[in-house]
Amino acid sequence: TEDEIMLFEREMKEFWIKLKSIYGPEQVNQTLALRDSCKESIKALSEKWSKKLKEGDLMIDKIHEYSNEILQQSQRVSEKQEHLTEIKSNLNQEEQQKKDLTDSIQELKEELMKKKEIISSKNQANKERVERLCKSKVLFEERLGLEIRRIHNEQLQFIFRHIDHKDPDKPYVFTLSINEQGDYEVTSCTPPLDCITEFQQKVRETNNFSAFVANIRKAFTALSYK
């Protein structure tokens, strides 16, 4: 407090007065010089340590700054590592998907090749069957008065004449094709016959084509007498 400071200053004055009365001026001056020297040393030492403390504070701040920077870099590295792990996982998934897709494509190719072979085999069989029918043309024309024409979509048109005794040139026609299953199929019949479906089913079962044509001619003949 102010009172204590005033008391301390008063005691210091009394101390110097007593000191001067005991010692001579020379000794007092030496003591004062020693005191001043101590003050200077203490001041210099204080300034030195103050500077050191400031440098220490700066060093601590730098260390904190470096520590924070290292921590941030570590976090960034960790994030990049996680990102790389995610990318690697995605690449592995894409590789697996690519492999699955390649396998599926290969399976589809193999299946397509099998289907092509089957279709090619059926087409070849159908062509051979049509060729056999065409080779029978002369026989049918001679014995049954039949004309056979090849028309669009690999169909055969069978034209009978000499059926109607009133009009021998009147045509009786049916058109035949071979469907995707390789079976005979009548696509048109003029005039229409109620029994054509039955004849078609029978030739599919027996594969006796001559009997099939003969039965249709008989049906046309029977129809001409109605």
Side-chain angles (χ1 to χ4, degrees):
T1 61
E2 294 182 358
D3 294 338
E4 290 175 343
I5 293 173
M6 293 176 63
L7 178 60
F8 177 74
E9 291 179 350
R10 186 168 60 252
E11 290 177 350
M12 286 296 295
K13 289 179 180 179
E14 293 176 353
F15 171 77
W16 282 112
I17 292 171
K18 290 180 180 180
L19 185 63
K20 288 179 179 180
S21 63
I22 297 172
Y23 298 97
E26 184 177 350
Q27 290 177 334
V28 172
N29 290 335
Q30 289 178 356
T31 301
L32 291 175
L34 180 60
R35 184 197 64 182
D36 294 338
S37 176
C38 289
K39 283 184 178 181
E40 292 294 330
S41 298
I42 291 171
K43 182 179 179 182
L45 186 60
S46 297
E47 292 175 353
K48 179 179 179 181
W49 280 108
S50 178
K51 184 178 180 181
K52 291 290 184 183
L53 288 174
K54 289 181 180 179
E55 291 176 353
D57 291 339
L58 291 175
M59 184 64 69
I60 291 172
D61 292 339
K62 284 290 184 183
I63 291 173
H64 287 162
E65 183 179 347
Y66 292 152
S67 297
N68 292 332
E69 185 176 351
I70 291 172
L71 179 60
Q72 292 175 0
Q73 289 180 353
S74 177
Q75 290 176 347
R76 287 195 292 269
V77 169
S78 178
E79 291 173 357
K80 289 182 179 179
Q81 185 65 38
E82 292 177 357
H83 186 57
L84 288 174
T85 302
E86 182 179 355
I87 291 175
K88 184 177 180 181
S89 176
N90 291 336
L91 287 175
N92 290 336
Q93 292 179 0
E94 289 177 359
E95 285 294 329
Q96 185 62 40
Q97 291 175 355
K98 182 179 179 181
K99 183 179 181 301
D100 294 341
L101 181 60
T102 302
D103 294 341
S104 299
I105 292 173
Q106 183 63 32
E107 291 178 1
L108 289 174
K109 284 183 178 179
E110 293 175 358
E111 184 177 353
L112 182 60
M113 289 297 296
K114 290 180 181 178
K115 288 184 177 180
K116 283 183 176 180
E117 291 176 359
I118 293 173
I119 292 172
S120 176
S121 177
K122 286 184 177 180
N123 289 339
Q124 183 62 31
N126 292 341
K127 287 182 179 179
E128 292 175 357
R129 188 174 293 181
V130 171
E131 290 297 329
R132 288 196 299 270
L133 293 177
C134 290
K135 289 179 181 179
S136 303
K137 177 180 179 182
V138 176
L139 176 63
F140 288 138
E141 286 180 348
E142 291 177 353
R143 295 186 180 181
L144 302 177
L146 173 65
E147 179 185 355
I148 301 175
R149 298 176 182 174
R150 179 180 289 183
I151 60 176
H152 58 86
N153 295 331
E154 295 295 329
Q155 296 186 99
L156 292 178
Q157 190 178 65
F158 294 76
I159 305 172
F160 294 98
R161 301 183 190 276
H162 307 294
I163 290 180
D164 189 346
H165 62 282
K166 297 179 182 179
D167 186 4
D169 291 331
K170 180 180 178 179
Y172 288 73
V173 184
F174 77 92
T175 304
L176 186 71
S177 68
I178 298 175
N179 61 24
E180 294 181 356
Q181 289 72 35
D183 297 325
Y184 293 111
E185 183 173 353
V186 177
T187 58
S188 67
C189 182
T190 305
L193 295 173
D194 295 335
C195 55
I196 196 68
T197 302
E198 178 184 349
F199 292 160
Q200 178 179 268
Q201 183 62 31
K202 190 170 183 179
V203 73
R204 290 179 180 179
E205 295 173 355
T206 63
N207 204 32
N208 190 340
F209 188 76
S210 297
F212 170 70
V213 174
N215 287 333
I216 291 180
R217 189 177 192 283
K218 289 179 182 179
F220 279 145
T221 301
L223 186 65
S224 69
Y225 284 101
K226 292 183 178 180

